[in-house]
Amino acid sequence: MAKFTIPVSSRRLYKLLGLFAIAIITIVIIVKGTDITSSLSGPIDGKSDYVQGSKKANAPKKARTKYDDKYKYVKYSIPEYKGEKVRATFVTLARNKDLNGLRETIKSFEDRFNSKFQYDWIFLNDSEFNDDFKVTMTALISGEVKFGIIPKEHWSFPSWIDQDRAADTRKEMKDIIYGDSISYRNMCRFESGFFWRHPLLDEYEYYWRVEPDTKLYCDVDYDIFRFMKDNDKKYGFTISIHEYRATIPTLWDTTVEFINLHPEYVAENNMLDFVSNDDGMSYNLCHFWSNFEIASLDFWRSDAYRDYFDYLDHAGGFFYERWGDAPVHSIAAALFLNRTQVHHFDDLGYYHGPFHQCPTDEKIRLANRCDCDPNRDFTWRGYSCGKKYYKVNNLAKPKNWADYSK
Ligand SMILES: Nc1nc2c(ncn2[C@@H]2O[C@H](COP(=O)(O)OP(=O)(O)O)[C@@H](O)[C@H]2O)c(=O)[nH]1
Ligand SMILES: *[C@@H]1O[C@H](CO)[C@@H](O)[C@H](O)[C@H]1NC(C)=O
Ligand SMILES: *[C@@H]1O[C@H](CO)[C@@H](O)[C@H](O)[C@H]1NC(C)=O
Ligand SMILES: [Mg+2]
């Protein structure tokens, strides 16, 4: 019997020890838990300190330094910009129904770039944003988030537009993508002439335009706005493409009329050869795909662009045809900028349905941890204007570009 009592009491002892251990673990978890909550409330309350400190941005990645010499090309061509932050912001035009498409998009832009630099993000809509939208976006974004409403006169027919003629156009164009849409036309006119006039953008010098359902495929470890500013870049793009001719039948002729009135606005070292194959006689339909833009707000604020937009707006093509903001922005950039002020971000991976930019240069792709398939890259394909852009600017294409051109 005595032999039995010992194991029983030791079982009790084990039980007691077990309970004691569980109690300790529970206490540790509770204490840790409050630690986590209090450390979370720090950055949220003191967000501005956190943003200015930008400490994360300056910490080099361990894995990266190990392979520094192997990826020398990348290091050499893309210096890491760690200087002072630029007055820059993201800008997204959106609707309630874009919330789902925006969640993943924002996550990829934050993970790949913005969590390291904490730039602000502005959302614009033609009516008030609801709370679900605001709360979700604010939680996902590391910088300050601002919501703005578009003034009615920036999102409607201007007084001089003939409503019957505009309605006829929408009927005639019903078989062309967005051809029958009023809201799409308002959107194109807004993105051409008004987003940069919104008071929320006044304090900024540069912006990065982001649309719902897009994605960033590669790490961006340098301050891309700093890069723009330090190198006097005014317009940066990823994908370029040919426009549907039916949407812009008179855009070029209207542009030529404007240039004849204002030859002083045309830059000396311009990029006319990117948008015209016959020295300005006609438009070759090439444009930068404006759903992605990293650009200077001061460029749109310039007299040249303001007067150009005004001229186009009075000509009525946003409603009598279906002029897109992409060809309007691109033609302006090609004519009013020194060609050295336009930049192709060949180091970025980007998706907006149905096209991808995925760096075909393996060194770039691996160094920047791109999660895209280069076989889907659009840059060197026939319908793209990438080859044209590289040719007219005397830029070297990646060695293997032809493997991704068919
Ligand atoms: N607020 C608002 N945004 C719009 C409207 N139409 C388009 N957008 C936004 O404008 C951008 C371009 O529209 P999208 O449908 O993506 O056109 P696509 O990229 O040319 O096919 C996106 O950011 C949309 O969220 C609209 O009627 N209201
Ligand atoms: C944006 O405006 C539209 C009306 O134009 C409205 O239906 C929608 O709810 C607004 N979006 C958000 C997120 O509030
Ligand atoms: C265009 O920019 C480049 C680089 O900044 C400069 O060397 C060149 O002089 C400029 N050309 C003109 C015509 O302004
Ligand atoms: Mg889109």
Side-chain angles (χ1 to χ4, degrees):
M1 287 299 271
K3 273 196 171 180
F4 263 106
T5 55
I6 296 167
V8 167
S9 65
S10 72
R11 247 186 264 148
R12 257 191 219 131
L13 186 66
Y14 285 135
K15 248 187 209 169
L16 269 176
L17 275 175
L19 281 174
F20 186 66
I22 287 168
I24 296 278
I25 289 167
T26 312
I27 288 166
V28 166
I29 286 172
I30 288 168
V31 169
K32 274 267 176 186
T34 47
D35 262 11
I36 288 164
T37 1
S38 63
S39 68
L40 263 183
S41 67
I44 289 171
D45 294 344
K47 201 165 199 178
S48 56
D49 296 339
Y50 203 64
V51 169
Q52 279 165 4
S54 194
K55 291 194 186 85
K56 275 193 288 180
N58 294 333
K61 280 193 175 169
K62 281 188 197 117
R64 188 63 47 86
T65 50
K66 210 167 134 190
Y67 296 112
D68 266 0
D69 46 350
K70 189 168 170 193
Y71 298 123
K72 208 167 180 179
Y73 169 76
V74 173
K75 288 287 174 193
Y76 174 72
S77 67
I78 309 164
E80 291 197 20
Y81 284 86
K82 287 175 184 165
E84 221 178 296
K85 266 176 83 175
V86 177
R87 288 186 292 116
T89 182
F90 286 86
V91 183
T92 297
L93 177 66
R95 296 153 291 188
N96 220 10
K97 65 173 184 186
D98 293 318
L99 179 58
N100 276 330
L102 271 171
R103 265 190 277 261
E104 281 185 56
T105 298
I106 304 246
K107 177 84 164 55
S108 89
F109 276 80
E110 280 291 329
D111 290 355
R112 294 305 199 161
F113 170 77
N114 202 42
S115 59
K116 291 165 252 178
F117 301 98
Q118 292 117 26
Y119 279 101
D120 296 348
W121 207 305
I122 295 175
F123 291 93
L124 299 175
N125 188 13
D126 43 321
S127 90
E128 183 92 47
F129 285 105
N130 64 27
D131 283 349
D132 188 22
F133 189 96
K134 287 188 190 173
V135 167
T136 308
M137 293 305 134
T138 307
L140 284 169
I141 291 164
S142 58
E144 203 183 323
V145 185
K146 305 174 186 183
F147 301 92
I149 296 186
I150 298 165
K152 195 88 215 129
E153 61 276 21
H154 294 175
W155 194 277
S156 51
F157 294 97
S159 58
W160 56 85
I161 292 296
D162 174 343
Q163 291 292 333
D164 295 337
R165 190 176 157 195
D168 287 346
T169 298
R170 293 197 300 277
K171 251 181 252 160
E172 282 161 29
M173 291 183 72
K174 68 176 173 13
D175 295 330
I176 295 165
I177 183 165
Y178 304 119
D180 59 353
S181 169
I182 295 178
S183 71
Y184 194 83
R185 286 184 172 78
N186 282 332
M187 184 276 287
C188 290
R189 176 170 176 264
F190 174 76
E191 292 286 13
S192 299
F194 299 104
F195 85 90
W196 43 273
R197 295 187 222 225
H198 195 285
L200 280 180
L201 281 107
D202 283 352
E203 65 183 275
Y204 300 101
E205 223 181 321
Y206 290 88
Y207 70 96
W208 187 336
R209 174 170 163 186
V210 176
E211 282 196 5
D213 301 298
T214 61
K215 189 181 167 185
L216 214 50
Y217 281 133
C218 309
D219 280 353
V220 185
D221 285 337
Y222 60 104
D223 183 339
I224 215 157
F225 294 117
R226 194 78 241 163
F227 166 86
M228 294 290 288
K229 196 171 159 79
D230 289 356
N231 293 287
D232 193 31
K233 301 291 183 191
K234 302 289 185 198
Y235 192 92
F237 71 100
T238 48
I239 293 168
S240 64
I241 188 170
H242 290 82
E243 182 59 294
Y244 297 106
R245 189 176 292 282
T247 64
I248 45 134
T250 67
L251 176 59
W252 188 256
D253 290 348
T254 312
T255 300
V256 171
E257 278 168 29
F258 174 77
I259 295 301
N260 287 334
L261 288 171
H262 287 287
E264 75 276 15
Y265 288 149
V266 178
E268 214 177 294
N269 185 31
N270 63 66
M271 214 188 285
L272 175 65
D273 48 4
F274 176 66
V275 290
S276 178
N277 299 341
D278 48 20
D279 206 23
M281 287 293 290
S282 67
Y283 181 35
N284 64 14
L285 309 178
C286 277
H287 63 282
F288 310 120
W289 220 22
S290 63
N291 47 67
F292 175 110
E293 281 183 329
I294 301 175
S296 154
L297 288 160
D298 290 333
F299 176 51
W300 309 127
R301 292 166 181 148
S302 68
D303 287 343
Y305 187 76
R306 279 173 194 271
D307 290 351
Y308 178 55
F309 172 76
D310 237 41
Y311 195 83
L312 296 183
D313 201 22
H314 279 84
F318 291 106
F319 298 100
Y320 301 145
E321 296 177 8
R322 207 221 67 196
W323 293 351
D325 53 290
V328 170
H329 281 186
S330 304
I331 290 171
L335 298 183
F336 307 147
L337 292 175
N338 181 340
R339 66 168 74 230
T340 61
Q341 295 177 304
V342 179
H343 182 70
H344 176 228
F345 283 102
D346 64 344
D347 54 327
L348 261 57
Y350 174 69
Y351 172 73
H352 176 297
F355 299 114
H356 307 253
Q357 169 165 298
C358 183
T360 52
D361 185 332
E362 189 185 42
K363 278 188 288 213
I364 294 182
R365 209 168 58 245
L366 297 182
N368 294 340
R369 302 175 61 247
C370 303
D371 59 343
C372 55
D373 177 359
N375 292 305
R376 300 173 91 172
D377 179 65
F378 183 63
T379 317
W380 316 114
R381 316 267 168 201
Y383 198 51
S384 165
C385 291
K387 278 180 287 181
K388 179 91 186 163
Y389 181 84
Y390 274 67
K391 184 167 188 225
V392 301
N393 291 303
N394 270 320
L395 297 168
K397 298 201 276 287
K399 283 198 179 65
N400 61 355
W401 72 272
D403 299 342
Y404 300 93
S405 64
K406 302 277 157 25

